[in-house]
């Protein structure tokens, strides 16, 4: 069991469905601010949770903010500033308390400012639950 800052208990595995997203061999381009859906809405009263992320990037013309949003053009749940040199070695982020989306809402990722060069390769693992 894990608890969030509001005291809600998340019981992973009891009624959860685990999911995975990968950008695979088609990395996310940083020359656009178009969001990519990483998990579709899970259904009425069901939330998407993000447990961990692994990412690598190429070098960029300038630093790029990378963000995960709760819903289409929604609230930013997590963000990182990718430096100009990029993250050339894989970076793993494990959320001790999973990122929690709103019920029946998709999760998306995007670079919040467009850049002229660079790509992001991303893997995300999560689960659904109440």
């Amino acid at each position: 069991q894990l608890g969030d800052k509001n005291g809600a208990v998340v019981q992973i595995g009891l009624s959860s469905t685990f999911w995975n997203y990968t950008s695979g061999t088609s990395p996310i381009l940083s020359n656009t601010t178009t969001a990519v859906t990483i998990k579709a809405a899970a259904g009425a009263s069901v939330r998407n949770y993000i447990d961990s992320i692994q990412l690598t990037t190429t070098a960029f013309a300038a630093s790029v903010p990378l963000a995960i949003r709760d819903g289409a053009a929604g609230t930013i749940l997590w963000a990182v500033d990718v430096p100009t040199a990029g993250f050339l070695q894989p970076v793993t982020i494990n959320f001790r308390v999973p990122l929690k989306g709103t019920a029946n809402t998709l999760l998306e990722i995007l670079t919040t400012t467009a850049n002229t060069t660079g790509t992001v390769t991303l893997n995300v693992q999560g689960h659904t639950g109440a």
Side-chain angles (χ1 to χ4, degrees):
Q1 291 182 351
L2 298 174
D4 68 12
K5 66 181 180 182
N6 297 317
V9 174
V10 178
Q11 293 182 315
I12 299 172
L14 295 180
S15 62
S16 299
T17 300
F18 295 94
W19 58 267
N20 180 62
Y21 167 85
T22 182
S23 59
T25 58
S26 300
I28 300 165
L29 298 176
S30 68
N31 64 349
T32 177
T33 57
T34 302
V36 173
T37 299
I38 58 174
K39 178 64 175 81
S45 301
V46 181
R47 296 176 184 271
N48 288 317
Y49 293 86
I50 296 176
D51 301 315
S52 57
I53 300 169
Q54 302 82 44
L55 64 98
T56 58
T57 71
T58 58
F60 295 98
S63 64
V64 176
L66 180 69
I68 294 176
R69 292 194 303 207
D70 181 27
T75 303
I76 293 177
L77 295 177
W78 177 85
V80 64
D81 190 45
V82 181
T84 304
F87 297 134
L88 303 180
Q89 298 298 318
V91 175
T92 298
I93 298 112
N94 294 309
F95 298 103
R96 188 169 163 265
V97 176
L99 296 180
K100 178 173 72 172
T102 303
N104 201 26
T105 303
L106 63 83
L107 295 171
E108 64 183 15
I109 192 160
L110 73 155
T111 52
T112 59
T113 59
N115 205 321
T116 55
T117 62
T119 59
V120 177
T121 301
L122 180 76
N123 297 296
V124 182
Q125 297 80 40
H127 67 280
T128 58

